[in-house]
């Protein structure tokens, strides 16, 4: 899913402006048309499969990429495949989004113009000036989605940024967010009502829970603990820690524990200790002589 | 810019589906209508200012949030402000995107329905089921843009993820990406042509440069170095390191240098050394007695 697929040659100034609007587009129960069956098309299909939309794929079977074939076979309920080319404006009438991934730039351009006339959002692979939107490098962990865009300044840099961000994540974030979502849902049931003072109180309490509990603790919020947290926390107007909830004595606040030294630090300490001991011994022995 | 502003109550399963399509929407020279002038409206204005679009703002002056006022004053060329309410369908006819941030849910709903009829993408703050798209937590560093969405599972978690990702970035990434973009542009001038073998060769060479050079080295790519990199690298079919380009002898590959110990490690080593010395001295002294 390269950033370059629809890359702009102009550079963004570091100040305000010059950027894209990064948004989370909703495609639940919508219709997406993908024209083309090559490698880029397979990447487009994978992007769209992230959402709960219906995909219509138009591409002659002889030109299908192996991955595209695989995806068609894997998701028969999601992808309706037609072994033929794009035939004309009627194809886009019921569509909520159109993606072209064709070698034929002129055909892509024609399809984009039809979409523009019909106000259907469109992305044409490799033809940035025709695109309503670009794709970017994506990270997904359950309900957590992260997108990295370099605004057309190279897919490799987007991939490097993705690596960097991935290595900063523990892998527990998605599950923690999912558990917070469940807690939030149950809090809304317990203290229902839209907006106003209650809405603000709910939001404040939820924020405090997220601040007091770490990611690795939020992951442990099973259904029983959620009920206990609402009983002992929300109902009593406080935010207990995980230890308090589990009935354990807390000796220190969960968020203020010092980081434990890693193995390289232990090695460093041991080596320095030994070096110190050897130096002192040598100094004393030499003085004794 | 809370994730909650348009939050969905349903949870995403960890498998395929259930997610949004994260995209970089293009608004250069487009018209965006923002209805409402409160705090959420001010956040919407700031989001849209990221792009090179024209903003029309409709909101009675008496209800303007301080930040909204400030933004109107700061960006007269970008924001056209009307001291009145939304009057009817004619307001959206020339618009490419509409954002409502109103306390009046019914009015928001009406505006959204007009947008849907006219196929204008729309976001209604706090009414997720009316939204074509959601906002998320955003990071921007020049051409680098990152968006974090929790798919409606809480703005606080999105903010925590933003903190985590921000702390994994050095702050040089945006500038490095900008320099890579300049290099890429000049390479395209030197070896022009769309697609085919040359396109693949360019892409491969650019990838290698990004792999061999670190972020902190890419930042140093000034215009003179870019010319030298193209002369000594692209023209000769190789990827020289920064040191080679600057005419310095490279003793070790730039990417394999061991991380330098930080001050806490020096302190640990010094303390361990001293402790070792003291222990050895005490042991020897006690044996001597």
């Amino acid at each position: 899913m390269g950033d370059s697929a629809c890359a702009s040659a102009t550079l963004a100034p570091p100040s305000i402006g010059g950027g894209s609007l990064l948004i989370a587009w909703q495609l639940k129960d919508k219709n997406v048309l993908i024209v083309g069956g090559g490698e880029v098309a397979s990447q487009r299909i994978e992007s769209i499969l992230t959402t709960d939309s219906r995909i219509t794929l138009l591409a002659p079977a002889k030109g299908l990429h192996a991955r595209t074939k695989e995806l068609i076979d894997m998701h028969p309920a999601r992808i309706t495949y037609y072994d033929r080319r794009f035939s004309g404006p009627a194809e886009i009438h019921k569509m909520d989004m159109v993606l072209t991934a064709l070698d034929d730039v002129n055909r892509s351009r024609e399809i984009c113009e039809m979409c523009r006339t019909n106000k259907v959002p469109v992305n044409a692979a490799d033809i940035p000036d025709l695109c309503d939107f670009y794709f970017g490098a994506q990270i997904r962990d359950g309900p957590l989605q992260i997108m990295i865009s370099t605004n057309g300044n190279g897919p490799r840099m987007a991939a490097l940024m993705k690596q960097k961000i991935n290595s900063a994540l523990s892998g527990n974030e998605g599950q923690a967010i999912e558990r917070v979502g469940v807690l939030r849902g149950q809090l809304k049931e317990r203290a229902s009502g839209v907006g106003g003072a209650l809405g603000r109180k709910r939001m404040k309490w939820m924020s405090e829970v997220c601040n007091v509990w770490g990611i690795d603790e939020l992951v442990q919020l099973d259904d029983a603990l959620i009920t206990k947290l609402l009983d002992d926390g929300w109902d009593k107007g406080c935010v207990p820690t995980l230890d308090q909830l589990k009935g354990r004595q807390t000796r220190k606040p969960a968020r203020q524990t010092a980081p434990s030294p890693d193995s390289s630090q232990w090695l460093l300490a041991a080596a320095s200790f030994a070096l110190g001991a050897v130096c002192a011994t040598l100094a004393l022995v030499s003085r004794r002589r």
Side-chain angles (χ1 to χ4, degrees), chain A residues 38-55:
Chain A
E39 188 177 359
V40 175
S42 76
Q43 293 163 352
R44 295 290 179 260
I45 296 170
E46 288 188 289
S47 296
I48 302 298
L49 282 174
T50 310
T51 68
D52 292 323
S53 59
R54 288 177 293 266
I55 299 172

Side-chain angles (χ1 to χ4, degrees), chain A residues 44-173:
Chain A
R44 295 290 179 260
I45 296 170
E46 288 188 289
S47 296
I48 302 298
L49 282 174
T50 310
T51 68
D52 292 323
S53 59
R54 288 177 293 266
I55 299 172
T56 302
L57 180 65
L58 296 181
K62 62 175 166 31
L64 288 186
H65 188 268
R67 181 69 184 144
T68 308
K69 273 186 208 162
E70 204 174 39
L71 290 167
I72 294 170
D73 291 341
M74 280 166 71
H75 304 283
R78 298 282 315 276
I79 305 171
T80 308
Y81 167 60
Y82 296 98
D83 172 12
R84 59 176 179 80
R85 294 182 190 281
F86 180 90
S87 66
E91 309 268 26
I92 63 164
H93 282 165
K94 284 182 183 170
M95 293 299 159
D96 299 292
M97 176 173 276
V98 173
L99 312 174
T100 75
L102 297 168
D103 286 335
D104 184 343
V105 174
N106 291 331
R107 193 60 177 147
S108 261
R109 200 168 281 276
E110 283 169 24
I111 297 172
C112 284
E113 276 161 20
M114 290 175 208
C115 289
R116 202 77 76 228
T117 308
N118 289 277
K119 291 192 160 189
V120 178
V122 63
N123 171 286
D126 284 322
I127 321 177
D129 62 301
L130 294 182
C131 292
D132 287 318
F133 59 92
Y134 303 162
F135 288 89
Q138 308 258 348
I139 293 173
R140 174 138 194 226
D141 177 10
L144 174 66
Q145 286 186 267
I146 299 169
M147 173 181 171
I148 303 127
S149 171
T150 60
N151 278 289
N153 287 289
R156 185 65 204 140
M157 292 307 284
L160 283 177
M161 291 301 105
K162 181 178 164 174
Q163 275 175 24
K164 205 164 190 171
I165 292 170
N166 255 329
S167 64
L169 300 175
S170 70
N172 275 336
E173 289 81 4

